[in-house]
Amino acid sequence: MKLRVGYELVYECPQPTPMMLMLNTHYSRVQDVLAADLLAVDPPVPITQYRDGFGNLCSRIVAPQGRISMSTTALLNISDQPETLEPFGQQHPVEELPDECLVFLLGSRYCETDLLADIAWRLFGKSPPGRDRVQAICDFVHRHITFGYHHARVTKTAWQAYQERTGVCRDFAHLAVTLCRAMNIPARYCTGYVSDVGLPPPQSPMDFAAWFEAYVGGCWQTFDPRNNAPRTGRVLMARGRDAVDVAISNTFGPTKLVKFDVRCAPE
C-alpha cells in the first residue's frame, strides 16, 4: 500500500525567531520511502540539520518576522495489513537490559515515576511480567483517560493525567510510559503519523499521533494506549524520553501557530 504523509504548518513571528524542528520521518523507515519528505519553507531561509542523541533528524532555521510556512509530503510503501505481535514478549531483569535501555527506566519531565511507582505496583504487581503486563497497563490507561482535544495542555504530566482522567494521545502515552518504567520495563515515547485505514467513518481530523515502545522480548515493541488496537499505516517521526524530546517545534521567541494541517492517507 502506498501511503502519503505530510503537513503544512504556518507560524506568525513578531520578530526574527530561531526555531528547532523535528518534522521528518524517522530513518528507520528509509527502506519504505518512495518519495522523501524534504522540508519546504516559505519564505525560503537557510536550513541546517543534525541528529540528536536519540537518532531523530532535527532542522534549525531562523524564521523571519511575519508569516512562515513549513510543509512537506512523502510517499511510503507500507503493509496494508494491521500491526502484528512480535514472537517473544518476556520481561528482562534490569541487570540484563542493554545499556541503551537504562535511560528509559528513569523519570523524565512528563513521566514522574516517583509519584506513580506505588500505584503501578498496586495495580499491576500481580499481572504476568513482560508484554502481558504492558498490555494490562495499556488497557488500564485506555479505560482511565477520557480523550478530548479540549483537555489538552502543554504542561500536563503523567501524574496530572492520572488524577484528572482526561487528555489527548500524548497524555495516554505519558501515563503508560510512566507506569511501565515504574514496573522496571523500559519505555520510550514516540510520535508520528497513524492512518485511519480500516476504520469506519466518521473519522477524526488528521493530527500527529503519540504512542510508545516498550523493551520486551529482546526488542522494542509498539503499544498504543490511545487506540489500544492494531493499526494499519503507523509511521514513526521521532522517539525519546517523553514529549520534550520529540516536540515538532521549539521556538526561541514569541510565535503563534495559525495553521496546522496533517495528511496521512492511502495514495
Side-chain angles (χ1 to χ4, degrees):
M1 177 179 73
K2 292 181 174 62
L3 188 72
R4 177 74 64 179
V5 300
Y7 55 82
E8 183 182 13
L9 311 178
V10 178
Y11 290 86
E12 285 185 350
C13 304
Q15 62 192 39
T17 305
M19 302 181 74
M20 184 175 70
L21 311 169
M22 206 172 294
L23 289 167
N24 292 90
T25 53
H26 197 263
Y27 71 88
S28 60
R29 301 307 300 258
V30 65
Q31 73 277 5
D32 304 322
V33 174
L34 300 175
D37 55 345
L38 301 178
L39 177 61
V41 180
D42 184 26
V45 297
I47 304 172
T48 60
Q49 294 184 315
Y50 70 96
R51 291 205 179 274
D52 67 11
F54 301 104
N56 305 315
L57 183 61
C58 306
S59 301
R60 298 179 62 180
I61 67 170
V62 177
Q65 182 178 1
R67 286 202 171 195
I68 184 167
S69 169
M70 305 163 199
S71 61
T72 194
T73 182
L75 187 64
L76 296 94
N77 188 24
I78 66 169
S79 172
D80 60 359
Q81 298 300 308
E83 297 161 320
T84 58
L85 295 177
E86 298 289 340
F88 303 107
Q90 76 273 18
Q91 184 168 337
H92 303 276
V94 172
E95 63 271 21
E96 296 178 8
L97 288 168
D99 293 344
E100 65 156 13
C101 292
L102 298 182
V103 69
F104 299 109
L105 287 174
L106 307 178
S108 55
R109 164 68 178 85
Y110 290 107
C111 299
E112 311 102 318
T113 51
D114 53 341
L115 297 181
L116 283 160
D118 289 345
I119 293 168
W121 281 97
R122 186 176 74 245
L123 291 172
F124 308 109
K126 295 182 180 180
S127 61
R131 183 164 58 207
D132 289 346
R133 179 170 284 169
V134 179
Q135 187 57 55
I137 288 171
C138 290
D139 292 344
F140 168 80
V141 172
H142 184 76
R143 295 189 306 266
H144 188 77
I145 296 180
T146 299
F147 182 88
Y149 285 110
H150 58 289
H151 299 306
R153 67 177 186 273
V154 296
T155 59
K156 185 181 286 188
T157 67
W159 171 247
Q160 292 168 333
Y162 173 78
Q163 290 182 308
E164 298 172 19
R165 305 186 65 159
T166 59
V168 291
C169 57
R170 64 174 258 161
D171 302 307
F172 285 76
H174 281 150
L175 180 54
V177 163
T178 307
L179 293 171
C180 285
R181 292 178 186 174
M183 302 300 295
N184 298 329
I185 301 171
R188 60 191 186 187
Y189 182 95
C190 301
T191 188
Y193 304 93
V194 178
S195 82
D196 289 330
V197 171
L199 298 184
Q203 296 170 352
S204 301
M206 190 55 60
D207 194 356
F208 293 123
W211 62 92
F212 76 101
E213 295 170 344
Y215 190 85
V216 291
C219 62
W220 290 102
Q221 300 188 26
T222 297
F223 296 87
D224 184 347
R226 161 67 179 101
N227 296 298
N228 209 31
R231 298 295 291 264
T232 302
R234 187 185 304 273
V235 179
L236 179 70
M237 292 174 69
R239 52 166 76 105
R241 293 165 298 180
D242 59 29
V244 166
D245 294 327
V246 301
I248 60 171
S249 66
N250 284 288
T251 61
F252 301 89
T255 58
K256 181 179 180 182
L257 181 62
V258 296
K259 185 176 182 181
F260 180 84
D261 287 336
V262 177
R263 179 184 180 186
C264 179
E267 188 77 332

